[in-house]
Amino acid sequence: MNRAQVRLIRSWKEIAPMPQQRSQRNELLQPFLKWAGGKRQLLPYIRTYMPRSLKKTYYEPFIGAGAVLFDRQPAKAKINDANAELINCYEIIKQDVDALIAHAQTHKTDSSDYYYQIRGLDRTPEYAELTPVERASRIIFLNKTCYNGLFRVNSQGQFNVPYGSYKNPTIVDEFIIRAISNYLNQNRITITNLDFEEAVKDAKKGDFVYFDPPYDPVSDTASFTGYNLDKFGKAEQARLKNVYAQLTQKGCLVMLSNSATEFIRDLYQEYTVITIPANRNINSVATGRGRIDELLILNYAPAI
């Protein structure tokens, strides 16, 4: 997008208009995990500002729980995440969904002792002996029964979220899991566990890339850095911006989500920056929940 296009939309870009409604979507395709920063509630805005037609490859280098992917349902996509345990879940849902469902249904949901036993597996030698199915089942179980749906690890890469004390939580929704498996198998979906820069290196002109990285913290106490062992600080945010610029030069269409901090606004000041409202309920600190502005950053003029 050139500077003339940027000037044209500066009059409205700080306030997002009412999102458009979308008809005809597969309601069964939805996230199978709770996820900090998940995009389900922002989907009406994301739909509004996404290109109307995705004729080439869809890239999502920070797939997370997959809300945007499952909402848009592209026929050709390359999805990625740095979290190896998360990507293992996607791989198993695609390759061995029956075994995953069967194993996940064996978990006890009413015992904190059982929860800490399963959580503690990654602190034992036996963890290396778990099959990919058992690892995926474990992560889904912990996600659905841990406190506030967090995925957090300590400096040794060990899951460290406490028990959540939910009543009768659903560990695995068979209809949703099978719908996801069918989607992944019936379309051209590539799943990788790479650095975000490596994950988009093959993107070409006309491809669409959606970045949803760990957010720039809005305060010194709001940082959520336990998603994996690689902390995503300002240096990584700046590296991501460079990748964003490289993709723009290639002719890719790029959308990025992030928090509404001055650092992010300054970093992407030459692009279209749209402020949207969000409510955050998954956070380890209560003051980090509730209404907060977020940003959608585009390198193209939206068709609205």
Side-chain angles (χ1 to χ4, degrees), residues 10 45 103 113 135 149 187 193 197 230 239 241 296:
R10 282 196 186 279
Y45 291 102
H103 194 277
D113 289 342
R135 283 170 46 211
N187 294 277
N193 173 219
E197 186 170 359
D230 301 318
R239 182 165 72 94
K241 192 268 181 176
L296 286 181

Side-chain angles (χ1 to χ4, degrees), residues 54 56-58 72-77 183 186-189:
L54 301 181
K56 295 191 176 181
T57 305
Y58 173 96
R72 193 60 191 254
Q73 301 168 26
K76 183 180 180 182
Y183 168 72
Q186 294 170 4
N187 294 277
R188 297 167 63 188
I189 313 298

Side-chain angles (χ1 to χ4, degrees), residues 1-299:
M1 182 176 58
N2 58 41
R3 293 188 179 278
Q5 290 174 310
V6 173
R7 286 194 296 271
L8 180 64
I9 56 180
R10 282 196 186 279
S11 61
W12 58 263
K13 73 178 184 177
E14 284 299 324
I15 300 296
M18 289 298 293
Q20 299 176 357
Q21 298 299 311
R22 181 184 176 188
S23 61
Q24 295 185 348
R25 57 180 300 270
N26 184 349
E27 297 293 339
L28 288 178
L29 275 180
Q30 55 186 280
F32 62 97
L33 297 172
K34 300 178 182 180
W35 209 252
K39 291 297 173 290
R40 190 179 302 193
Q41 64 166 302
L42 300 184
L43 288 175
Y45 291 102
I46 292 172
R47 291 176 201 142
T48 295
Y49 293 106
M50 258 194 188
R52 292 290 179 264
S53 176
L54 301 181
K55 297 180 179 179
K56 295 191 176 181
T57 305
Y58 173 96
Y59 285 80
E60 194 168 345
F62 302 91
I63 188 63
V68 177
L69 173 77
F70 298 141
D71 184 73
R72 193 60 191 254
Q73 301 168 26
K76 183 180 180 182
K78 295 186 177 183
I79 63 174
N80 176 81
D81 208 280
N83 187 321
E85 294 300 322
L86 172 64
I87 289 301
N88 178 63
C89 289
Y90 280 98
E91 292 281 13
I92 293 303
I93 289 173
K94 181 177 182 178
Q95 298 170 9
D96 204 353
V97 67
D98 290 335
L100 175 61
I101 291 171
H103 194 277
Q105 290 174 339
T106 67
H107 289 297
K108 300 177 183 178
T109 61
D110 58 354
S111 169
S112 61
D113 289 342
Y114 178 80
Y115 172 86
Y116 286 111
Q117 176 187 343
I118 298 301
R119 193 191 79 166
L121 285 174
D122 60 10
R123 294 156 172 80
T124 68
E126 289 75 22
Y127 183 67
E129 300 175 5
L130 294 181
T131 67
V133 168
E134 291 169 337
R135 283 170 46 211
S137 174
R138 172 180 176 269
I139 287 300
I140 293 172
F141 165 73
L142 292 176
N143 175 264
K144 294 300 180 69
T145 54
C146 74
Y147 175 74
N148 221 25
L150 288 170
F151 188 106
R152 187 183 64 200
V153 296
N154 60 23
S155 59
Q156 286 76 47
Q158 300 162 341
F159 196 92
N160 67 350
V161 184
Y163 182 56
S165 298
Y166 298 108
K167 290 184 178 179
N168 301 317
T170 298
I171 304 304
V172 58
D173 186 315
E174 185 171 350
F175 292 103
I176 290 175
I177 292 290
R178 290 194 183 280
I180 294 171
S181 182
N182 289 337
Y183 168 72
L184 295 176
N185 282 288
Q186 294 170 4
N187 294 277
R188 297 167 63 188
I189 313 298
T190 302
I191 304 170
T192 57
N193 173 219
L194 302 169
D195 175 77
F196 68 84
E197 186 170 359
E198 182 73 12
V200 298
K201 71 175 185 179
D202 295 330
K204 298 177 177 60
K205 182 177 180 179
D207 289 340
F208 178 79
V209 182
Y210 174 56
F211 286 117
D212 184 27
Y215 277 18
D216 184 47
V218 297
S219 68
D220 291 340
T221 60
S223 180
F224 178 72
T225 58
Y227 171 69
N228 58 44
L229 291 178
D230 301 318
K231 294 185 178 181
F232 208 93
K234 285 184 165 44
E236 288 296 277
Q237 295 286 359
R239 182 165 72 94
L240 175 56
K241 192 268 181 176
N242 288 337
V243 173
Y244 188 108
Q246 292 166 11
L247 292 169
T248 299
Q249 291 178 344
K250 283 185 175 184
C252 299
L253 304 175
V254 189
M255 173 187 283
L256 180 142
S257 302
N258 216 313
S259 53
T261 64
E262 287 306 311
F263 174 73
I264 296 298
R265 290 183 186 276
D266 289 345
L267 203 59
Y268 292 92
Q269 59 183 302
E270 69 265 42
Y271 300 101
T272 304
V273 180
I274 303 165
T275 302
I276 57 176
N279 288 297
R280 289 298 170 200
N281 297 316
I282 297 179
N283 196 304
S284 59
V285 181
T287 55
R289 304 177 205 142
R291 170 66 183 268
I292 186 169
D293 285 339
E294 297 187 11
L295 303 178
L296 286 181
I297 300 166
L298 317 178
N299 72 346

